[in-house]
Amino acid sequence: MAKNWSLYKYQPSFVLGFHGTEASVVNKVVSRSSKHLTASEGKYEWLGHGIYFWENDPQRAIEWATDGNSKKKIKEPSTVGAIIDLGLCLDLTTRSGLDEVKLAHEMLCDFYAQSCKELPQNNGGKYLLRRELDCQVIQALHIYRENNKLPKYDSVRSPFIEDEPLYLGAGFNSKNHIQIAIRSISCIKGYFHPIAA
């Protein structure tokens, strides 16, 4: 019988997340004239729908805001920091999280087969920057949990290997990162302007 590891899906501490966006948006959420950042709900979101953050990496957030946003050009790139309690987290650094996503993929495949439709694919080059399949798998997992009256995940967290090797023969890539998608805005305890040292 498989063991239930759900006790360990709650993260025991706060993390710092960084979000790259327009300077005007940063100023609004830090000043509280806008309560929260807007969730990303496109079909290519790597971790499904949610408010996206780079975990502990303000530099990567500003790089993305400056030259990585394929949806629209950011006119005045800036970064906002957030103090985050991940709550009940679908953590793809754990075996139980990965097993759950694999099961969701199997269910999604069955659904598409029964509907006689073609399963969406990830694409966008070597690093699969357009992740329609992954987005649908994560969303299917959330729907499955909701339909089966399982607790909703507050957040999704995953490492990503991205870009070229850091140096010849390296096992590290130049844009490796951990990304977080926040589904429950109550996880965000506050916003701040990051301080560069």
Side-chain angles (χ1 to χ4, degrees):
M1 180 177 199
K3 294 184 178 180
N4 182 348
W5 299 103
S6 61
L7 170 68
Y8 299 101
K9 292 183 180 187
Y10 286 93
Q11 301 292 323
S13 62
F14 293 114
V15 299
L16 297 180
F18 297 89
H19 181 91
T21 188
E22 291 284 357
S24 61
V25 173
V26 171
N27 292 331
K28 285 177 184 174
V29 295
V30 170
S31 71
R32 302 292 290 160
S33 63
S34 180
K35 195 167 183 178
H36 282 287
L37 295 167
T38 303
S40 297
E41 297 184 346
K43 66 179 184 177
Y44 299 118
E45 307 302 340
W46 293 18
L47 298 175
H49 300 167
I51 302 172
Y52 274 73
F53 295 93
W54 308 90
E55 184 176 301
N56 296 323
D57 200 345
Q59 180 178 345
R60 190 70 181 92
I62 194 66
E63 287 172 358
W64 182 87
T66 302
D67 61 22
N69 185 351
S70 62
K71 296 175 193 170
K72 67 176 183 174
K73 177 144 178 63
I74 293 175
K75 294 174 187 165
E76 192 178 348
S78 189
T79 302
V80 63
I83 301 162
I84 301 169
D85 174 355
L86 295 176
L88 183 61
C89 181
L90 173 60
D91 190 342
L92 302 182
T93 68
T94 67
R95 180 62 182 271
S96 63
L98 291 169
D99 287 347
E100 197 168 355
V101 170
K102 184 178 179 183
L103 180 61
H105 175 259
E106 292 168 5
M107 289 185 300
L108 191 66
C109 287
D110 290 345
F111 171 79
Y112 271 87
Q114 290 171 12
S115 302
C116 298
K117 293 182 180 178
E118 191 172 325
L119 190 69
Q121 299 297 310
N122 292 334
N123 57 55
K126 182 177 178 180
Y127 301 102
L128 303 174
L129 299 177
R130 298 170 63 92
R131 299 197 178 197
E132 185 174 0
L133 174 62
D134 291 349
C135 184
Q136 284 203 22
V137 168
I138 299 292
Q139 290 302 112
L141 188 153
H142 294 313
I143 291 167
Y144 171 83
R145 291 181 67 87
E146 186 175 336
N147 290 344
N148 287 279
K149 299 190 179 3
L150 295 168
K152 292 180 183 180
Y153 280 119
D154 298 307
S155 62
V156 183
R157 177 180 183 267
S158 184
F160 290 98
I161 308 303
E162 189 181 351
D163 212 41
E164 299 304 316
L166 198 55
Y167 48 84
L168 185 62
F172 311 105
N173 292 50
S174 63
K175 291 186 179 177
N176 289 358
H177 62 277
I178 296 176
Q179 208 159 50
I180 303 166
I182 300 300
R183 295 175 41 78
S184 301
I185 58 172
S186 63
C187 292
I188 300 171
K189 303 306 179 187
Y191 292 104
F192 62 92
H193 286 287
I195 300 171

